[in-house]
Amino acid sequence: MADAPNYFSKKYIDGVYIPSGLLVVGCLIVKREWVPYAIALALALGGYKVWASQVRKVLKPTEFQNFELKEKTIISHNVAIYRFKLPSETAILGLPIGQHISIAATLPQPDGPSKEIVRSYTPISGDHQPGYFDLLIKSYPTGNISKYMASLIVGQTIKVRGPKGAMVYTPNMVRHFGMIAGGTGITPMLQIIRAVIRGRPTGDKSQIDLIFANVNKEDILLKEDLDQLAKEDAGFRVYYVLNNPPENS
């Protein structure tokens, strides 16, 4: 989750306190009778600046909202990372660790009229990354939302609602996680893994062992990211299981 604002940070000192002080001091030098108006103006502008810079959670659990596709990164012929814009550069989804979002789209059906289809996804980004959220999605031939997502181009929007889910992760809620994932099922695991590792400096001691199963070696999603996390953090270990392992491996 996002940290509480630090009102003594450089952002507030340079952007609020110093300009407000200069305005008041300038009036003291030039025309003292303007000082009350200068103070009022400084308070109004400074207050607005502080309000506008606050981190805001945008998710609504009972209402779908539109989010614009900002960037699409192709990983393979049927896998991509989709980056969606939030309303401002300081906005966050407001998604608790361990929960997910719903994506909805009205899609034509082969046996009848179009209907709204809803599927759940877990972003691979987090609330420590304001301004956007990322989804890793594999498109399946028989998929509904996954095929719809693959057809999106930059500038188009999706409908999102959330958060949803029964679990909310908190640091040290368990001593040891045993995780098993396959394919794009890695996304909720990765969400927790990254949160645990981010929490190390503040005392999160949770151990994690992940078994990640796939058909072929090239199907392993985000392998470089997982290997790097395991290299950097001794409390996280990953084991890859394949239906078709390479020969002599």
Side-chain angles (χ1 to χ4, degrees):
M1 303 300 291
D3 296 330
N6 176 11
Y7 293 112
F8 295 99
S9 67
K10 190 175 187 299
K11 175 178 70 173
Y12 291 112
I13 292 172
D14 292 346
V16 178
Y17 305 140
I18 290 178
S20 298
L22 290 174
L23 177 62
V24 174
V25 171
C27 286
L28 277 171
I29 296 171
V30 176
K31 202 163 188 177
R32 286 181 173 268
E33 56 266 35
W34 288 355
V35 169
Y37 303 104
I39 292 173
L41 181 60
L43 288 173
L45 293 177
Y48 173 77
K49 181 99 178 200
V50 170
W51 175 83
S53 66
Q54 294 300 298
V55 172
R56 288 177 177 77
K57 302 175 183 178
V58 301
L59 277 179
K60 297 179 181 180
T62 59
E63 180 183 334
F64 281 105
Q65 301 177 81
N66 289 314
F67 295 95
E68 180 184 331
L69 180 63
K70 175 182 179 182
E71 188 178 326
K72 183 176 180 179
T73 304
I74 304 299
I75 304 299
S76 69
H77 71 284
N78 61 355
V79 179
I81 295 176
Y82 303 83
R83 175 163 293 185
F84 293 92
K85 290 199 305 186
L86 296 179
S88 72
E89 292 184 356
T90 59
I92 61 173
L93 268 182
L95 183 69
I97 302 300
Q99 300 208 323
H100 46 275
I101 60 175
S102 294
I103 296 177
T106 301
L107 304 174
Q109 300 300 303
D111 55 350
S114 297
K115 67 176 182 179
E116 185 176 67
I117 305 295
V118 180
R119 294 289 184 269
S120 297
Y121 290 93
T122 302
I124 58 172
S125 56
D127 284 349
H128 62 294
Q129 299 165 296
Y132 67 89
F133 66 95
D134 290 341
L135 297 172
L136 174 72
I137 297 179
K138 183 174 183 177
S139 177
Y140 295 93
T142 57
N144 285 299
I145 296 296
S146 68
K147 285 201 300 183
Y148 167 73
M149 294 290 291
S151 71
L152 289 178
I153 60 174
V154 172
Q156 291 184 311
T157 62
I158 61 169
K159 295 193 296 183
V160 175
R161 181 177 67 191
K164 59 181 295 188
M167 175 188 176
V168 175
Y169 173 75
T170 55
N172 295 309
M173 66 183 297
V174 297
R175 286 181 296 176
H176 199 144
F177 277 108
M179 299 179 172
I180 301 176
T184 53
I186 189 61
T187 56
M189 309 301 178
L190 186 60
Q191 181 196 50
I192 293 175
I193 292 165
R194 285 176 169 167
V196 169
I197 294 175
R198 284 198 308 274
R200 296 296 193 211
T202 54
D204 198 331
K205 299 179 180 178
S206 303
Q207 297 287 303
I208 305 173
D209 283 282
L210 166 68
I211 297 175
F212 190 16
N214 289 274
V215 177
N216 301 303
K217 185 177 180 180
E218 55 270 23
D219 296 325
I220 302 174
L221 300 174
L222 302 175
K223 186 177 187 300
E224 291 184 2
D225 298 67
L226 292 168
D227 289 344
Q228 186 64 31
L229 290 172
K231 180 180 179 181
E232 295 174 352
D233 190 275
F236 168 57
R237 294 160 292 273
V238 57
Y239 310 92
Y240 300 106
V241 179
L242 300 174
N243 284 15
N244 304 314
E247 293 184 9
N248 304 317
S249 62

